[in-house]
């Protein structure tokens, strides 16, 4: 029963204290009936807040303007983390790997992963008590992107081989 209560708390409509976490979780699915247009309005508001509050003297390998731009295009904290990962890594560096190096795969560069984590927490101003949950969701999204990337490449290769076989006949 405690887990159900925790799940209900996460799904509550945002209030002043939780709005940043909830908005970052998924701006288009905060509540039933929230339209995509309304979600995009929230995204723009979040980006404007970031633009006004993000320090100018960031020591990240991604420019402040690029960070703000990526956040404005992102639909969630997880989507933002994936965008940062794609900015900091080449597709070749991500292929066949995951964030933690689990399940027999190599680990992506932990220093750059830490940079992604810092940027996510800086931009979305995540409270210390919510950081583990937010980062776990971001990590899952990045791992999912890497798995999907592998499947998409395999499908393209298969289609290319089929096309080449058809042309040779």
């Amino acid at each position: 029963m405690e887990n159900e209560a925790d799940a209900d708390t996460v799904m509550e409509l945002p209030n002043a204290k939780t709005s940043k976490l909830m908005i970052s979780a998924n701006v288009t699915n905060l509540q039933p009936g929230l339209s995509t247009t309304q979600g995009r309005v929230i995204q723009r508001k979040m980006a404007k807040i970031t633009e006004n509050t993000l320090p100018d003297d960031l020591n990240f390998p991604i420019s402040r303007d690029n960070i703000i731009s990526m956040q404005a295009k992102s639909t969630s904290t997880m989507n933002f983390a994936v965008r940062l990962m794609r900015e900091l890594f080449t597709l070749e560096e991500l292929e066949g790997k995951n964030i933690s190096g689990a399940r027999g795969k190599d680990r992506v560069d932990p220093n750059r992963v830490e940079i992604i984590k810092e940027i996510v927490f800086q931009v979305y101003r995540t409270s210390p008590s919510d950081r583990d949950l937010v980062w776990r969701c971001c990590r899952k999204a990045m791992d999912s992107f890497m798995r999907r990337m592998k499947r998409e490449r395999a499908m393209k290769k298969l289609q290319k081989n089929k096309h080449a076989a058809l042309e040779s006949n």
Side-chain angles (χ1 to χ4, degrees), residues 9-10 22 33 38-39 44 49 55 65 75 89 105-106 112 122 126 128-129 133 137 139 141 154 158 161 169:
T9 303
V10 173
M22 293 301 295
Q38 290 168 318
R44 285 193 293 276
I49 291 168
D65 290 341
T75 57
F89 292 94
K105 295 184 178 183
D106 289 334
R112 287 187 271 177
Q122 179 89 31
T126 310
S129 62
L133 173 65
C137 292
R139 195 179 66 237
L158 182 65
N161 290 343
N169 289 335

Side-chain angles (χ1 to χ4, degrees), residues 30-98:
L30 284 176
Q31 62 184 1
L34 182 65
S35 72
T36 302
T37 304
Q38 290 168 318
R40 290 200 196 330
V41 168
I42 293 171
Q43 281 175 267
R44 285 193 293 276
K45 286 180 181 178
M46 286 294 295
K48 193 66 176 171
I49 291 168
T50 298
E51 188 175 343
N52 292 332
T53 60
L54 198 63
D56 290 327
D57 59 345
L58 294 174
N59 191 20
F60 295 129
I62 302 173
S63 73
R64 181 181 185 276
D65 290 341
N66 201 4
I67 290 171
I68 292 168
S69 174
M70 279 190 277
Q71 193 225 358
K73 295 173 189 172
S74 297
T75 57
S76 65
T77 309
M78 292 74 70
N79 181 261
F80 181 64
V82 170
R83 287 176 186 271
L84 289 170
M85 181 180 68
R86 293 181 72 179
E87 183 74 19
L88 289 172
F89 292 94
T90 65
L91 294 178
E92 288 76 26
E93 290 174 311
L94 298 174
E95 193 168 334
K97 297 181 181 179
N98 61 31

